[in-house]
Each structure stands twice: as C-alpha cells, then as structure tokens.
Amino acid sequence: MSEAKPKPRKTRIQQRNSETIIEAALDVFSKHGFRGATLDQIANAAGLSKPNLLYYFSSKEAIHAELLEGLMDTWLDPLRALDANGDPKEQLLGYMRRKLEMSRDLPRESRLFANEVLQGAPRIGAGLGGDLKALVDEKAAIIADWSRSGRIAQVDPYHLIFSIWALTQHYADFDAQVRAVLGGEDPFPGAEAFLDTLYTKLLIP
Amino acid sequence: MSEAKPKPRKTRIQQRNSETIIEAALDVFSKHGFRGATLDQIANAAGLSKPNLLYYFSSKEAIHAELLEGLMDTWLDPLRALDANGDPKEQLLGYMRRKLEMSRDLPRESRLFANEVLQGAPRIGAGLGGDLKALVDEKAAIIADWSRSGRIAQVDPYHLIFSIWALTQHYADFDAQVRAVLGGEDPFPGAEAFLDTLYTKLLIP
DNA sequence: GTCTATAGTCTGATAGAC
DNA sequence: GTCTATCAGACTATAGAC
C-alpha cells in the first residue's frame, strides 16, 4: 500500500522472480554442487534468460549465498525446538523423527548443505563455528543434565547429536546408494522403525 | 626383464608417475569434487605439467574413473571381512570399528565416494546396483540369521548396515562441521566410545 | 617422455536495444 | 524488466619441438 517506505526493496514481480530463481537454484545446486552448477541450468529451470537472472542477483555466488542463508534457519529449527522442560526421551526421539521427516521431504536442502560441508564449508564456515556451535552447545548442556539426573542413560551429548544428523541425513544425502541397495523400495518406513528402536535402547538409563 | 611380454602395459617410470598422479588426483577430487577439480591443480599436486598428465591418462574422466575403481575394493574390504562363523556381536562391532578407523585414516577416500554418491552416483551408479548390492545382500542375510537364531536382537539388517556407514563416514565427510562444533578437539576417541555403547545396547537380544 | 604454445569450448558477466 | 549478442577468462585437450 504505502508508497513512502524507506526501503521498498522489492516489487511484487521482483519478489516473485527472486523466489522462482531461488527455487530453481536449489534444484541445480543441490544436484551438482556449486562448481558443477551453471547459470544456464538455473536460468532454464527458472524459465528466465541468463542475463535476467543476473538482473535479480549480482552473481552466481550471490544466489548461492542467499539460498544457504535462507535455509539455515529452517534447517536448525528442529534442534531449536528441543525443550529442556519436556520429557527427555520424547524430546530426543521427536527431534530424530523431525530430522528424518526433513530428509524425506526436503532432500534437496539436505544435499545442498552436504555439498557445502563436504568441501570444507568454504562459504558457511563462519556460520558453523558461530551460530551452529552456540546452538549445539546449549542443547548439549540440556542433554548432559538429563544424563546427570539419571532421566536418560549416560551419553556423550555431542556425539548423540552428531549421530542423529548422520543417521537421518544419510537417507537424503546418500539416496542413490540406499535405493541401489534396497532396489527401489521406500527406505523411510524401515528407517523410522530402526531409528526408534536404536535410540530407545540407547537412552534407557 | 623380459622384452617379449604380450602386454607390457607399463614401464617402471610409467608405473611410478601413474601412482603419483592418482595420489594427487585423490587429494584434489576429494576436496573439490569432479567438476570443481581442475587438471592444473592435479598437475601441480603431482609435480608434472598438464600435458604430461594427459600422456598418462587420456582425460580427466579417465583419471577419476581409475581412481574410483581402484578404491572400491579397499572401501568394501571391511564388509567383506564380516564372518558368518564369528561371534555376531564381535563381528558387527569389529566392522563398525574398522569403518571408523577408515574414516580417520582415509578421509579423502571417504569424501571422494561421498561426492560421487551425493550427486547421484553418475559415474559409479552401475557399481552400486551390482557388486555393492550383491555384497550387502549376502551380509544382510547373515545378520538376519543371527537375529532369527536369537544371537543378537531383532534388527533390520539393511538399516543396521546403513547406520554403520552413516555414523562412521560422517566423521570424515562432515569433518568441517564436527570440528567446528567441537572446537578443534579430536572427535575420534569420543566417537568410538559412543558407537561402542550404541551398538552394544542395540544388539543385546 | 616432457615441455611450451595454443586450439576450441564452456561459462560468468556485461552492453545495449527494446 | 527482459532479451540478443558478445566479451573475457578459465578449462580440457592437442600439436609439435626437443
């Protein structure tokens, strides 16, 4: 409505095209990695010309950076939701299940981060040592408390969190391998049952 | 010695240079992925000129292919060693420990495969559906037998194997993230203790 | 066998018409 | 805002001297 906003950053059409580009970039970057992806592929996927892409984003780097930044929050939400006041086993199993759902529903996002971290996190290295470490430290302290008070078994909280990341994201990141071995069968029902058992047994004091 | 071999494929110097190139290529491909790696980087790392590289291998693809093929065996050796006649829990924990050692001692190899699988295994897709699936099927049958006879708990053998892959390779493939969170502390002692506990509890009937 | 020079291609980014 | 045309640099691969 208002015409006098101090920073009218984006018109409706700009907003719409930016989103289309980000969506297309997610497709391409997650499939080929940063270096493997080309602006041509992204432009095609977005239904725009290459120069038009660069009218909305100043460079290939800029698209990738905005994509990663925008997803970081979504990606860490399940861990943020871990509640110190909830039931320990329920909280941890719930966290694992939400992460597994994300692997099933957002595999491109998982592979985008995997590509980035696998190559040494050249573009989000700072974010890992900063926000991510702070969040993990906070939640690890909660888990350590649960262990100390005997509400769950003695476990190293950091490796427990790593294990949840590794086990759930594996089904998105190594999808090609998992499906090759299972011969096309849907891995997720079996995965959830397995992980439920695994963590239930681990956490019993 | 003999001059009359039917296929004297490689002289000593050819052998030596080929190995130097493969070693350099492992370094570069594992760090940047196939597309991200350049022949210049590999040539530099090998201490050879770019055309000289292509005297030994017909193309960038050829270097990558030989590298992957040569490593596939090493990579699957620990699973091959799983012995149907051994003690079930000992066999499975031993397999996990060997895989964790490989993550620690051969992280470049782990990341090379991770890069390949993450992008849909475009160059070894056949190997996954063939040899790998056959090997996993064979070992999964052994594990299923152990479960049936009550020597270990009821577990889905495929997801058990996936979990060992995911948990052990995570420490090599996501090294940047693990170290960022742990603040430089060596992850492996803690990882081994955690994984020992995890699988011990899981496998108790 | 190894090198310098370079051909030929791909790709990120820009110029400029509409 | 969007397009066609195109530049400049990087890259794989080859030619050809030594």
Side-chain angles (χ1 to χ4, degrees), chain B residues 49 69 121 151 168 200:
Chain B
S49 72
E69 197 186 344
R151 302 180 70 191
T168 57
T200 298

mmCIF file of all heavy atoms in Angstrom, chain B residues 49 69 121 151 168 200:
data_model
loop_
_atom_site.group_PDB
_atom_site.id
_atom_site.type_symbol
_atom_site.label_atom_id
_atom_site.label_comp_id
_atom_site.label_asym_id
_atom_site.label_seq_id
_atom_site.Cartn_x
_atom_site.Cartn_y
_atom_site.Cartn_z
ATOM 1 N N SER B 49 53.611 -31.421 -15.581
ATOM 2 C CA SER B 49 52.899 -30.457 -16.420
ATOM 3 C C SER B 49 51.564 -31.056 -16.854
ATOM 4 O O SER B 49 51.377 -32.274 -16.855
ATOM 5 C CB SER B 49 53.719 -30.115 -17.655
ATOM 6 O OG SER B 49 53.726 -31.214 -18.534
ATOM 7 N N GLU B 69 37.695 -46.791 -9.277
ATOM 8 C CA GLU B 69 37.719 -48.240 -9.433
ATOM 9 C C GLU B 69 38.752 -48.858 -8.494
ATOM 10 O O GLU B 69 38.488 -49.849 -7.817
ATOM 11 C CB GLU B 69 38.033 -48.593 -10.886
ATOM 12 C CG GLU B 69 37.697 -50.023 -11.256
ATOM 13 C CD GLU B 69 38.173 -50.329 -12.674
ATOM 14 O OE1 GLU B 69 38.457 -49.374 -13.422
ATOM 15 O OE2 GLU B 69 38.259 -51.514 -13.010
ATOM 16 N N ALA B 121 25.625 -40.462 -8.012
ATOM 17 C CA ALA B 121 26.499 -41.546 -8.485
ATOM 18 C C ALA B 121 26.525 -41.643 -10.009
ATOM 19 O O ALA B 121 26.385 -42.735 -10.573
ATOM 20 C CB ALA B 121 26.090 -42.881 -7.866
ATOM 21 N N ARG B 151 20.783 -64.770 18.503
ATOM 22 C CA ARG B 151 22.137 -64.458 18.981
ATOM 23 C C ARG B 151 22.351 -62.953 19.086
ATOM 24 O O ARG B 151 23.230 -62.486 19.809
ATOM 25 C CB ARG B 151 23.176 -65.095 18.051
ATOM 26 C CG ARG B 151 22.977 -66.616 17.959
ATOM 27 C CD ARG B 151 23.996 -67.247 17.037
ATOM 28 N NE ARG B 151 25.345 -67.217 17.595
ATOM 29 C CZ ARG B 151 26.456 -67.520 16.900
ATOM 30 N NH1 ARG B 151 26.353 -67.874 15.624
ATOM 31 N NH2 ARG B 151 27.633 -67.471 17.473
ATOM 32 N N THR B 168 29.887 -43.774 10.786
ATOM 33 C CA THR B 168 31.349 -43.746 10.715
ATOM 34 C C THR B 168 31.830 -42.737 9.676
ATOM 35 O O THR B 168 32.732 -41.939 9.945
ATOM 36 C CB THR B 168 31.911 -45.145 10.386
ATOM 37 O OG1 THR B 168 31.345 -45.608 9.153
ATOM 38 C CG2 THR B 168 31.585 -46.126 11.495
ATOM 39 N N THR B 200 26.359 -51.863 21.203
ATOM 40 C CA THR B 200 26.257 -52.887 22.239
ATOM 41 C C THR B 200 24.824 -52.967 22.752
ATOM 42 O O THR B 200 24.234 -54.050 22.849
ATOM 43 C CB THR B 200 27.218 -52.576 23.398
ATOM 44 O OG1 THR B 200 28.562 -52.588 22.893
ATOM 45 C CG2 THR B 200 27.088 -53.614 24.504
#
